[in-house]
Amino acid sequence: MIFKNLDTEDEYEFNNTQVIEKGQHIDVAVGGEGVSSDKILYKITVQTSDLFSCGTDANVFIILFGDKGDSGELPLRNSTENMNKFERNNTDVFEFELLSLGVIRRVRIWHDDSATMSSWHLDHVTVSVEGIEYRFPCAKWLSSRKDDKNLSRDLACENLPEETVAEEGGKQQEGYDVIVTISNRKEAGTKHDIWISLEGTLNSTNKLELENKGGRYFNKGTSDLFFLPVTSDIGTPTHVRVGVTPRDNVDVDKDPIKQCHLTSLIVNRRSGTDEFVFNCNHWLSLPGTPGRKSYRKLGLTTTQPLNADHP
Protein backbone atom coordinates (compact mmCIF):
# COMPACT_ATOMS: atom_id res chain seq x y z
CA MET A 1 0.00 0.00 0.00
CA ILE A 2 1.13 3.54 -0.71
CA PHE A 3 -0.24 6.54 1.18
CA LYS A 4 0.35 10.03 -0.21
CA ASN A 5 0.28 13.28 1.79
CA LEU A 6 -1.57 15.63 -0.55
CA ASP A 7 -0.09 18.69 1.17
CA THR A 8 3.62 17.77 1.06
CA GLU A 9 3.55 15.20 -1.79
CA ASP A 10 5.40 12.75 0.52
CA GLU A 11 4.61 9.09 -0.12
CA TYR A 12 4.66 6.27 2.43
CA GLU A 13 4.88 2.66 1.25
CA PHE A 14 3.90 -0.31 3.44
CA ASN A 15 5.06 -3.74 2.22
CA ASN A 16 3.63 -7.00 3.57
CA THR A 17 4.23 -10.65 2.65
CA GLN A 18 2.12 -12.21 5.42
CA VAL A 19 -1.27 -13.84 5.00
CA ILE A 20 -3.82 -11.92 7.09
CA GLU A 21 -6.65 -14.01 8.50
CA LYS A 22 -10.16 -12.64 9.06
CA GLY A 23 -10.23 -10.56 12.23
CA GLN A 24 -6.43 -10.44 12.44
CA HIS A 25 -4.42 -7.22 12.38
CA ILE A 26 -0.67 -6.79 11.99
CA ASP A 27 1.86 -3.96 12.25
CA VAL A 28 3.63 -3.08 9.00
CA ALA A 29 6.69 -0.83 8.97
CA VAL A 30 7.00 1.94 6.43
CA GLY A 31 9.56 1.19 3.73
CA GLY A 32 10.33 1.24 0.03
CA GLU A 33 12.96 2.85 -2.16
CA GLY A 34 12.74 6.64 -2.32
CA VAL A 35 10.06 6.75 0.37
CA SER A 36 10.09 9.66 2.81
CA SER A 37 9.77 8.02 6.23
CA ASP A 38 12.32 9.84 8.38
CA LYS A 39 11.26 10.41 11.94
CA ILE A 40 12.96 12.83 14.28
CA LEU A 41 13.41 12.79 18.03
CA TYR A 42 11.14 15.00 20.13
CA LYS A 43 12.17 15.45 23.76
CA ILE A 44 9.34 16.66 26.00
CA THR A 45 10.35 18.03 29.40
CA VAL A 46 7.63 18.46 32.02
CA GLN A 47 8.37 20.57 35.11
CA THR A 48 6.11 20.06 38.12
CA SER A 49 5.81 23.11 40.39
CA ASP A 50 7.46 23.42 43.81
CA LEU A 51 4.27 23.68 45.89
CA PHE A 52 2.88 21.61 48.76
CA SER A 53 1.16 18.42 47.56
CA CYS A 54 1.26 19.46 43.90
CA GLY A 55 2.33 16.16 42.29
CA THR A 56 0.01 13.69 40.61
CA ASP A 57 -0.29 9.92 40.29
CA ALA A 58 -2.82 10.19 37.45
CA ASN A 59 -2.05 9.30 33.82
CA VAL A 60 -0.82 12.32 31.84
CA PHE A 61 -1.14 12.91 28.08
CA ILE A 62 -0.01 15.59 25.64
CA ILE A 63 -0.63 16.71 22.04
CA LEU A 64 1.88 18.85 20.13
CA PHE A 65 0.41 21.23 17.54
CA GLY A 66 2.75 22.30 14.72
CA ASP A 67 2.59 24.04 11.37
CA LYS A 68 2.63 20.66 9.59
CA GLY A 69 0.11 18.86 11.77
CA ASP A 70 -0.24 17.47 15.27
CA SER A 71 1.35 14.56 17.11
CA GLY A 72 -1.85 12.89 18.14
CA GLU A 73 -2.33 11.83 21.76
CA LEU A 74 1.00 10.95 23.42
CA PRO A 75 0.91 9.16 26.80
CA LEU A 76 3.66 10.37 29.14
CA ARG A 77 4.46 7.00 30.68
CA ASN A 78 8.21 6.51 31.01
CA SER A 79 10.30 9.39 32.28
CA THR A 80 14.01 9.09 31.54
CA GLU A 81 14.76 10.98 34.78
CA ASN A 82 12.46 9.60 37.49
CA MET A 83 10.76 6.31 38.29
CA ASN A 84 8.08 8.17 40.25
CA LYS A 85 7.15 10.89 37.78
CA PHE A 86 5.22 14.16 38.21
CA GLU A 87 6.18 14.60 41.86
CA ARG A 88 6.81 17.98 43.51
CA ASN A 89 9.61 19.91 41.74
CA ASN A 90 10.29 16.94 39.43
CA THR A 91 11.78 17.45 35.99
CA ASP A 92 10.54 14.56 33.85
CA VAL A 93 11.71 13.90 30.30
CA PHE A 94 9.88 11.84 27.66
CA GLU A 95 11.15 10.96 24.19
CA PHE A 96 9.15 10.26 21.05
CA GLU A 97 10.14 9.65 17.43
CA LEU A 98 7.67 11.49 15.18
CA LEU A 99 7.39 12.79 11.65
CA SER A 100 8.25 16.49 11.48
CA LEU A 101 5.52 18.74 12.88
CA GLY A 102 7.19 21.99 11.82
CA VAL A 103 7.15 24.91 14.23
CA ILE A 104 5.49 23.88 17.52
CA ARG A 105 3.07 26.67 18.42
CA ARG A 106 0.87 25.06 21.08
CA VAL A 107 0.57 22.01 23.28
CA ARG A 108 -2.42 20.51 25.04
CA ILE A 109 -1.65 18.61 28.25
CA TRP A 110 -4.10 16.85 30.57
CA HIS A 111 -4.55 13.95 32.98
CA ASP A 112 -7.37 11.45 33.51
CA ASP A 113 -8.00 12.18 37.23
CA SER A 114 -7.64 8.46 37.87
CA ALA A 115 -5.72 8.51 41.18
CA THR A 116 -6.56 9.48 44.74
CA MET A 117 -3.88 12.16 44.57
CA SER A 118 -4.64 13.52 41.10
CA SER A 119 -4.48 17.31 41.52
CA TRP A 120 -1.35 18.53 39.73
CA HIS A 121 0.30 21.95 39.52
CA LEU A 122 2.26 22.19 36.28
CA ASP A 123 4.96 24.85 36.03
CA HIS A 124 5.90 24.54 32.35
CA VAL A 125 6.58 22.24 29.41
CA THR A 126 9.47 22.43 26.95
CA VAL A 127 9.75 20.61 23.63
CA SER A 128 13.21 20.13 22.15
CA VAL A 129 13.71 19.04 18.55
CA GLU A 130 16.73 19.35 16.25
CA GLY A 131 18.44 21.94 18.44
CA ILE A 132 15.35 24.13 18.92
CA GLU A 133 13.66 24.41 22.32
CA TYR A 134 10.06 25.59 22.58
CA ARG A 135 8.84 26.73 26.00
CA PHE A 136 5.20 26.60 27.13
CA PRO A 137 4.49 28.26 30.52
CA CYS A 138 1.56 27.04 32.60
CA ALA A 139 1.85 27.72 36.37
CA LYS A 140 -1.70 26.42 36.95
CA TRP A 141 -3.50 23.49 38.55
CA LEU A 142 -4.84 20.62 36.50
CA SER A 143 -7.46 19.46 38.95
CA SER A 144 -11.14 18.57 39.31
CA ARG A 145 -11.15 20.11 42.79
CA LYS A 146 -8.92 23.21 42.69
CA ASP A 147 -8.98 26.61 40.96
CA ASP A 148 -11.20 26.43 37.85
CA LYS A 149 -11.48 22.61 38.09
CA ASN A 150 -9.95 22.08 34.65
CA LEU A 151 -8.04 18.85 33.93
CA SER A 152 -6.65 20.12 30.61
CA ARG A 153 -4.50 23.11 29.63
CA ASP A 154 -3.81 24.54 26.16
CA LEU A 155 -0.45 26.32 26.24
CA ALA A 156 1.04 28.69 23.66
CA CYS A 157 4.75 28.88 22.87
CA GLU A 158 6.42 31.93 24.42
CA ASN A 159 9.66 31.78 22.40
CA LEU A 160 9.06 31.05 18.72
CA PRO A 161 12.34 30.67 16.75
CA GLU A 162 13.80 33.96 15.49
CA GLU A 163 13.56 32.86 11.85
CA THR A 164 9.85 32.16 12.29
CA VAL A 165 9.27 35.58 13.80
CA ALA A 166 11.31 37.16 10.98
CA GLU A 167 9.24 35.37 8.33
CA GLU A 168 6.12 36.78 9.98
CA GLY A 169 7.36 40.35 9.56
CA GLY A 170 9.36 40.71 12.75
CA LYS A 171 6.30 40.33 14.93
CA GLN A 172 3.72 37.70 15.71
CA GLN A 173 1.42 37.17 12.76
CA GLU A 174 -1.98 38.66 13.57
CA GLY A 175 -5.05 36.51 13.58
CA TYR A 176 -6.78 33.78 15.56
CA ASP A 177 -5.76 30.25 16.51
CA VAL A 178 -8.70 27.84 16.56
CA ILE A 179 -8.66 24.33 18.03
CA VAL A 180 -11.44 22.06 16.74
CA THR A 181 -12.21 18.99 18.86
CA ILE A 182 -14.27 16.13 17.40
CA SER A 183 -15.94 13.72 19.84
CA ASN A 184 -15.29 10.00 20.34
CA ARG A 185 -18.79 9.01 19.20
CA LYS A 186 -19.25 6.44 16.46
CA GLU A 187 -18.84 8.06 13.02
CA ALA A 188 -18.14 11.43 14.67
CA GLY A 189 -15.51 12.44 12.10
CA THR A 190 -15.96 13.88 8.62
CA LYS A 191 -14.09 14.02 5.30
CA HIS A 192 -15.58 17.43 4.59
CA ASP A 193 -14.55 20.98 5.49
CA ILE A 194 -15.76 22.98 8.47
CA TRP A 195 -16.51 26.70 8.38
CA ILE A 196 -16.77 29.16 11.23
CA SER A 197 -17.58 32.81 11.69
CA LEU A 198 -16.55 34.74 14.79
CA GLU A 199 -18.74 37.34 16.50
CA GLY A 200 -17.32 39.76 19.04
CA THR A 201 -18.14 42.89 20.97
CA LEU A 202 -16.66 45.09 18.22
CA ASN A 203 -17.11 43.26 14.94
CA SER A 204 -17.72 39.91 13.25
CA THR A 205 -16.09 37.93 10.44
CA ASN A 206 -17.43 36.35 7.29
CA LYS A 207 -17.39 32.58 6.90
CA LEU A 208 -13.84 31.27 7.33
CA GLU A 209 -13.00 27.86 5.85
CA LEU A 210 -11.13 25.25 7.89
CA GLU A 211 -9.98 23.09 5.00
CA ASN A 212 -9.74 19.34 5.53
CA LYS A 213 -6.60 18.95 3.43
CA GLY A 214 -6.07 15.39 2.31
CA GLY A 215 -8.91 14.32 4.59
CA ARG A 216 -6.46 14.19 7.51
CA TYR A 217 -8.38 16.49 9.88
CA PHE A 218 -11.66 16.20 11.81
CA ASN A 219 -11.24 12.53 12.66
CA LYS A 220 -13.01 10.85 15.56
CA GLY A 221 -11.54 11.80 18.94
CA THR A 222 -8.99 14.30 17.59
CA SER A 223 -8.16 17.97 18.09
CA ASP A 224 -6.86 20.05 15.16
CA LEU A 225 -5.22 23.48 15.23
CA PHE A 226 -5.94 26.08 12.53
CA PHE A 227 -4.73 29.64 12.05
CA LEU A 228 -7.11 32.28 10.70
CA PRO A 229 -5.33 35.42 9.38
CA VAL A 230 -8.00 37.89 10.52
CA THR A 231 -6.48 41.37 10.75
CA SER A 232 -9.50 43.25 12.14
CA ASP A 233 -10.10 43.22 15.87
CA ILE A 234 -13.52 41.74 16.65
CA GLY A 235 -13.14 42.57 20.35
CA THR A 236 -14.02 39.92 22.91
CA PRO A 237 -15.44 36.84 21.14
CA THR A 238 -19.02 36.20 22.25
CA HIS A 239 -20.42 33.75 19.69
CA VAL A 240 -19.22 31.37 16.99
CA ARG A 241 -21.25 30.05 14.07
CA VAL A 242 -19.96 26.69 12.84
CA GLY A 243 -21.05 24.33 10.08
CA VAL A 244 -19.95 21.65 7.62
CA THR A 245 -19.44 22.30 3.92
CA PRO A 246 -18.74 19.73 1.15
CA ARG A 247 -15.17 19.25 -0.02
CA ASP A 248 -14.64 19.80 -3.73
CA ASN A 249 -13.23 16.34 -4.45
CA VAL A 250 -15.71 14.31 -2.36
CA ASP A 251 -18.85 12.92 -3.98
CA VAL A 252 -21.50 13.86 -1.42
CA ASP A 253 -24.08 11.49 -2.90
CA LYS A 254 -21.75 8.51 -2.41
CA ASP A 255 -20.55 9.55 1.04
CA PRO A 256 -22.60 7.66 3.67
CA ILE A 257 -21.44 9.97 6.49
CA LYS A 258 -22.84 13.46 5.99
CA GLN A 259 -22.29 14.79 9.50
CA CYS A 260 -19.79 15.17 12.31
CA HIS A 261 -20.09 15.46 16.08
CA LEU A 262 -18.31 18.57 17.37
CA THR A 263 -17.22 18.69 21.02
CA SER A 264 -15.86 22.23 21.21
CA LEU A 265 -14.01 25.14 19.64
CA ILE A 266 -11.24 27.04 21.44
CA VAL A 267 -10.39 30.47 20.03
CA ASN A 268 -7.58 32.86 20.92
CA ARG A 269 -6.13 35.97 19.31
CA ARG A 270 -2.39 35.52 18.89
CA SER A 271 -1.67 38.94 20.38
CA GLY A 272 -4.11 38.30 23.25
CA THR A 273 -3.74 36.73 26.66
CA ASP A 274 -7.01 34.80 26.96
CA GLU A 275 -8.60 31.86 25.19
CA PHE A 276 -12.33 31.50 24.64
CA VAL A 277 -14.04 28.12 24.89
CA PHE A 278 -17.24 27.37 22.97
CA ASN A 279 -18.75 23.99 23.87
CA CYS A 280 -20.97 22.32 21.28
CA ASN A 281 -21.59 18.59 21.89
CA HIS A 282 -23.97 18.43 18.90
CA TRP A 283 -24.08 16.98 15.39
CA LEU A 284 -23.34 19.19 12.39
CA SER A 285 -24.65 18.03 9.02
CA LEU A 286 -24.07 18.93 5.40
CA PRO A 287 -26.60 21.45 3.99
CA GLY A 288 -29.73 19.72 2.73
CA THR A 289 -29.53 16.73 5.07
CA PRO A 290 -33.16 16.00 6.07
CA GLY A 291 -34.00 16.65 9.70
CA ARG A 292 -30.50 17.88 10.59
CA LYS A 293 -29.06 21.30 11.37
CA SER A 294 -26.38 22.45 8.93
CA TYR A 295 -24.83 24.87 11.44
CA ARG A 296 -24.87 25.85 15.09
CA LYS A 297 -24.52 29.19 16.84
CA LEU A 298 -22.46 28.67 19.98
CA GLY A 299 -22.35 31.02 22.92
CA LEU A 300 -19.21 31.58 24.97
CA THR A 301 -18.83 28.84 27.59
CA THR A 302 -15.82 30.11 29.51
CA THR A 303 -12.78 32.37 29.29
CA GLN A 304 -9.42 31.40 30.71
CA PRO A 305 -5.88 32.80 30.63
CA LEU A 306 -3.89 31.47 27.69
CA ASN A 307 -0.74 31.28 29.78
CA ALA A 308 -0.58 32.35 33.41
CA ASP A 309 2.44 34.42 34.48
CA HIS A 310 4.95 32.80 36.80
CA PRO A 311 4.67 33.92 40.41
Side-chain angles (χ1 to χ4, degrees):
M1 294 184 293
I2 297 178
F3 290 86
K4 185 174 183 178
N5 185 322
L6 298 180
D7 296 332
T8 65
E9 300 299 322
D10 290 338
E11 291 187 351
Y12 304 91
E13 180 178 328
F14 298 84
N15 298 316
N16 174 52
T17 57
Q18 302 179 48
V19 176
I20 305 174
E21 302 292 341
K22 183 178 180 180
Q24 179 189 10
H25 67 271
I26 62 173
D27 294 325
V28 182
V30 66
E33 185 177 353
V35 174
S36 173
S37 61
D38 292 338
K39 292 187 177 182
I40 53 180
L41 180 66
Y42 284 78
K43 185 177 293 186
I44 301 171
T45 303
V46 179
Q47 179 66 49
T48 300
S49 301
D50 188 9
L51 301 174
F52 176 73
S53 192
C54 71
T56 187
D57 295 324
N59 299 306
V60 179
F61 307 86
I62 195 168
I63 300 174
L64 313 182
F65 294 98
D67 288 344
K68 297 181 180 179
D70 67 78
S71 64
E73 181 180 303
L74 302 173
L76 301 182
R77 292 196 183 105
N78 300 312
S79 171
T80 62
E81 304 301 311
N82 303 289
M83 288 289 292
N84 194 11
K85 55 190 181 294
F86 308 129
E87 293 301 309
R88 176 177 177 174
N89 205 30
N90 262 19
T91 302
D92 292 296
V93 179
F94 306 87
E95 296 181 346
F96 297 91
E97 288 191 346
L98 306 169
L99 295 174
S100 176
L101 302 174
V103 176
I104 309 299
R105 295 185 179 272
R106 294 174 69 105
V107 302
R108 172 177 291 179
I109 188 166
W110 72 97
H111 67 74
D112 62 3
D113 205 26
S114 60
T116 303
M117 302 294 290
S118 287
S119 294
W120 182 37
H121 199 279
L122 172 65
D123 188 77
H124 68 270
V125 174
T126 62
V127 179
S128 301
V129 55
E130 296 188 321
I132 300 174
E133 183 175 280
Y134 303 90
R135 181 182 171 90
F136 303 87
C138 181
K140 293 180 74 70
W141 286 101
L142 285 75
S143 171
S144 60
R145 293 173 289 279
K146 297 185 178 184
D147 282 357
D148 59 0
K149 299 180 181 179
N150 199 332
L151 296 175
S152 175
R153 298 293 174 189
D154 289 285
L155 310 176
C157 181
E158 70 170 6
N159 64 327
L160 289 174
E162 292 182 3
E163 58 269 24
T164 300
V165 175
E167 289 173 3
E168 296 177 354
K171 61 180 180 179
Q172 186 162 256
Q173 188 176 3
E174 196 54 86
Y176 291 85
D177 285 321
V178 178
I179 294 179
V180 181
T181 299
I182 303 298
S183 82
N184 272 310
R185 290 197 179 193
K186 183 179 179 181
E187 297 184 344
T190 182
K191 298 177 182 178
H192 299 286
D193 298 336
I194 286 178
W195 63 265
I196 69 170
S197 63
L198 307 177
E199 298 180 15
T201 54
L202 299 179
N203 206 343
S204 61
T205 70
N206 295 322
K207 284 186 179 181
L208 303 167
E209 295 288 338
L210 306 180
E211 189 178 353
N212 194 354
K213 296 180 179 179
R216 66 179 183 177
Y217 300 123
F218 312 136
N219 293 309
K220 172 185 172 181
T222 62
S223 296
D224 298 301
L225 173 67
F226 295 86
F227 174 66
L228 303 176
V230 178
T231 55
S232 61
D233 186 4
I234 67 169
T236 301
T238 57
H239 294 86
V240 173
R241 294 179 187 268
V242 57
V244 181
T245 186
R247 284 185 62 207
D248 290 340
N249 60 344
V250 175
D251 189 337
V252 175
D253 294 332
K254 294 182 179 179
D255 185 5
I257 302 175
K258 296 179 171 59
Q259 59 189 6
C260 72
H261 195 270
L262 177 68
T263 297
S264 66
L265 298 171
I266 298 177
V267 178
N268 78 278
R269 191 170 179 84
R270 282 197 173 174
S271 60
T273 58
D274 294 324
E275 62 182 12
F276 304 88
V277 181
F278 299 85
N279 288 340
C280 181
N281 296 313
H282 283 290
W283 291 99
L284 303 172
S285 299
L286 290 171
T289 304
R292 296 285 188 174
K293 287 192 175 182
S294 61
Y295 76 92
R296 299 272 178 178
K297 183 176 181 179
L298 311 178
L300 180 63
T301 304
T302 186
T303 303
Q304 56 196 27
L306 183 60
N307 282 333
D309 294 332
H310 288 273

